[in-house]
C-alpha cells in the first residue's frame, strides 16, 4: 500500500524533472544555434564594413548587425577588450563589424566557441587612401587643414583626425601586426580553420564574396565542407557536393566614395618612403610592406 502510494506520489516529480530537463535542453540548443550564427569581423574600418552590415541584415537567417556602435552607444570592440561577457551587446546582436582590429578576438573566440570570424581587408593602397580621405573630410568640415595630426585639429567633432604621414605609416604596421596575429591563431588548429575566412568586399566580385561568406557561415562547421588550410580566397573554399551553385545574392557597395588626387599622391609618397614598391599596392596582407617600414 505504502509503496504504491509513494510510487504515485513520485510521478508528478518525475514529470516535472523531465519537463525542466526538456526545457533546459531547448534553451541550450537555442544558445548554441544562436552562437553558431555569430560572426565577428576583426578587420579595420574602411574595408567594406557598411556593405557587410547590409549583406548580413538581408540574409534570410536573420542576422542582427552591430556596426561599431551597438545599442545604447556601446562599442562592441571595446566591450570585448574589457571582457564584458554579460553585456547585452553580445546577446542582442550576432554580426559585428567596424573597428574590429581593436577587438580581443581571442577572448571572443573562447567565449563563443562556435562563432565565425571573417577577416575583412582590401588592397593596401586602396585602404590607405580610403582611410586618409575619410579623415581629410572630417578635418575640412572642422575648418582644419586637410592633413595633419591630432594637435592640428582640436575642434573636430570626431577624435579620428590624424592622417599625417607618420599616422599612415603606423596604420600599415599596426594592421599588419593584427593580421599576423589573426592568421597565427586561426591556423593553429584544424577546428579553428573551419570557422575562419578572409574577404575583400571591394576587390572580390559578388559571386566570390558570396561563396566565401556562404561557406564560413554554414550551420555545421565541424561536419561539412572541411578545409585543411585557411580560407584566404574563393579558391580555398571547399566544394559543396550537394549544392554545386552558390546562392547568388546581390552586393551593393555602401559608402563608396572616390579619393581626391591629393590623398592618393600623399599615400603613394608614404608607401614609397617606406620602401614599399608598387607591386605591394594590391597586397591584402600588409606584412610585406610593414616589414620595410623604418624602425622608430
Amino acid at each position: 500500500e505504502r509503496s504504491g502510494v509513494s510510487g504515485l506520489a513520485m510521478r508528478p516529480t518525475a514529470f516535472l524533472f523531465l519537463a525542466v530537463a526538456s526545457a533546459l535542453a531547448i534553451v541550450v540548443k537555442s544558445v548554441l544555434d544562436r552562437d553558431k550564427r555569430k560572426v565577428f569581423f576583426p578587420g579595420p574600418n574602411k574595408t567594406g564594413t557598411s556593405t557587410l552590415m547590409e549583406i548580413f541584415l538581408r540574409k534570410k537567417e536573420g542576422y542582427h548587425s552591430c556596426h561599431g556602435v551597438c545599442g545604447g552607444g556601446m562599442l562592441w570592440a571595446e566591450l570585448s577588450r574589457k571582457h564584458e561577457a554579460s553585456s547585452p551587446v553580445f546577446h542582442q546582436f550576432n554580426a559585428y563589424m567596424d573597428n574590429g582590429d581593436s577587438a580581443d578576438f581571442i577572448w571572443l573566440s573562447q567565449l563563443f566557441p562556435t562563432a565565425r570570424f571573417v577577416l575583412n581587408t582590401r588592397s593596401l593602397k586602396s585602404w590607405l587612401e580610403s582611410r586618409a580621405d575619410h579623415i581629410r573630410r572630417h578635418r575640412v568640415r572642422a575648418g582644419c587643414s586637410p592633413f595633419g595630426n591630432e594637435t592640428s585639429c582640436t575642434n573636430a567633432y570626431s577624435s579620428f583626425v590624424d592622417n599625417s604621414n607618420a599616422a599612415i605609416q603606423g596604420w600599415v604596421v599596426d594592421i599588419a601586426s593584427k593580421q599576423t596575429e589573426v592568421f597565427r591563431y586561426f591556423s593553429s588548429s584544424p577546428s579553428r580553420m573551419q570557422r575562419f575566412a578572409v574577404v575583400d568586399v571591394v576587390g572580390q566580385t559578388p559571386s566570390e564574396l558570396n561563396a566565401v561568406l556562404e561557406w564560413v557561415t554554414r550551420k555545421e562547421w565541424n561536419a561539412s565542407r572541411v578545409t585543411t588550410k585557411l580560407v584566404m580566397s574563393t579558391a580555398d573554399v571547399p566544394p559543396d557536393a550537394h549544392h554545386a551553385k552558390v546562392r547568388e545574392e546581390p552586393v551593393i557597395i555602401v559608402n563608396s566614395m572616390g579619393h581626391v588626387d591629393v590623398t592618393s599622391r600623399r599615400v603613394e609618397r608614404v608607401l614609397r618612403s617606406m620602401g614599399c614598391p608598387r607591386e605591394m599596392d594590391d597586397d591584402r596582407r600588409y606584412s610585406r610592406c610593414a616589414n620595410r617600414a623604418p624602425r622608430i
Side-chain angles (χ1 to χ4, degrees):
E1 283 286 327
R2 189 173 300 167
S3 174
V5 171
S6 177
L8 288 171
M10 288 179 63
R11 287 180 185 174
T13 304
F15 288 144
L16 177 61
F17 175 79
L18 289 174
V20 170
S22 177
L24 182 60
I26 292 172
V27 170
V28 170
K29 183 179 184 300
S30 175
V31 170
L32 289 175
D33 287 345
R34 179 199 66 199
D35 291 350
K36 281 180 184 177
R37 294 205 327 271
K38 281 196 181 298
V39 186
F40 295 94
F41 292 85
N45 65 350
K46 311 313 294 181
T47 53
T49 57
S50 294
T51 299
L52 288 168
M53 180 183 68
E54 291 299 322
I55 289 174
F56 277 82
L57 285 174
R58 294 201 309 268
K59 277 185 172 293
K60 68 178 185 180
E61 293 84 356
Y63 285 90
H64 192 191
S65 297
C66 168
H67 187 265
V69 181
C70 307
M74 293 179 283
L75 304 171
W76 72 269
E78 180 180 327
L79 291 170
S80 75
R81 294 196 306 274
K82 294 179 177 178
H83 297 177
E84 297 279 357
S86 61
S87 171
V89 164
F90 295 125
H91 302 285
Q92 295 173 359
F93 299 86
N94 49 17
Y96 305 80
M97 62 281 293
D98 203 40
N99 299 314
D101 55 300
S102 64
D104 187 341
F105 71 91
I106 294 178
W107 177 79
L108 288 168
S109 175
Q110 294 168 347
L111 182 64
F112 302 109
T114 58
R116 316 306 159 84
F117 290 79
V118 183
L119 182 62
N120 43 306
T121 185
R122 67 190 287 183
S123 65
L124 174 60
K125 185 170 182 285
S126 171
W127 173 65
L128 292 173
E129 289 172 338
S130 181
R131 195 180 234 201
D133 215 47
H134 178 79
I135 295 174
R136 180 192 63 80
R137 291 192 294 271
H138 280 323
R139 293 176 62 91
V140 170
R141 279 198 294 268
C144 306
S145 59
F147 300 94
N149 57 26
E150 293 174 343
T151 60
S152 65
C153 192
T154 58
N155 58 330
Y157 74 91
S158 170
S159 59
F160 193 42
V161 293
D162 188 355
N163 61 357
S164 62
N165 289 2
I168 294 172
Q169 178 177 312
W171 300 342
V172 179
V173 175
D174 289 346
I175 298 304
S177 176
K178 174 61 71 172
Q179 289 177 336
T180 298
E181 185 182 353
V182 170
F183 290 137
R184 184 183 298 120
Y185 179 80
F186 285 101
S187 64
S188 64
S189 74
S191 62
R192 288 176 183 167
M193 289 184 194
Q194 309 314 314
R195 54 195 188 109
F196 174 79
V198 178
V199 294
D200 176 0
V201 172
V202 178
Q204 289 177 308
T205 66
S207 61
E208 290 172 336
L209 183 61
N210 283 324
V212 175
L213 293 176
E214 184 267 344
W215 175 79
V216 76
T217 59
R218 67 203 185 285
K219 187 174 183 180
E220 300 299 334
W221 60 269
N222 60 342
S224 62
R225 301 175 68 186
V226 174
T227 184
T228 57
K229 60 181 179 180
L230 290 181
V231 173
M232 306 283 286
S233 67
T234 313
D236 299 326
V237 176
D240 186 346
H242 303 290
H243 301 92
K245 184 177 175 60
V246 174
R247 183 176 70 249
E248 288 290 335
E249 294 183 11
V251 176
I252 301 173
I253 303 298
V254 181
N255 264 356
S256 179
M257 297 183 181
H259 315 124
V260 297
D261 290 342
V262 65
T263 303
S264 296
R265 290 195 298 269
R266 177 174 289 265
V267 165
E268 184 159 1
R269 285 197 301 270
V270 172
L271 288 173
R272 303 305 165 249
S273 70
M274 292 173 64
C276 305
R278 284 186 173 82
E279 67 185 55
M280 295 183 184
D281 287 355
D282 292 329
D283 284 3
R284 295 190 302 166
R285 186 170 181 172
Y286 305 156
S287 56
R288 285 204 307 165
C289 182
N291 289 337
R292 298 194 175 204
R295 300 301 176 206
I296 301 174

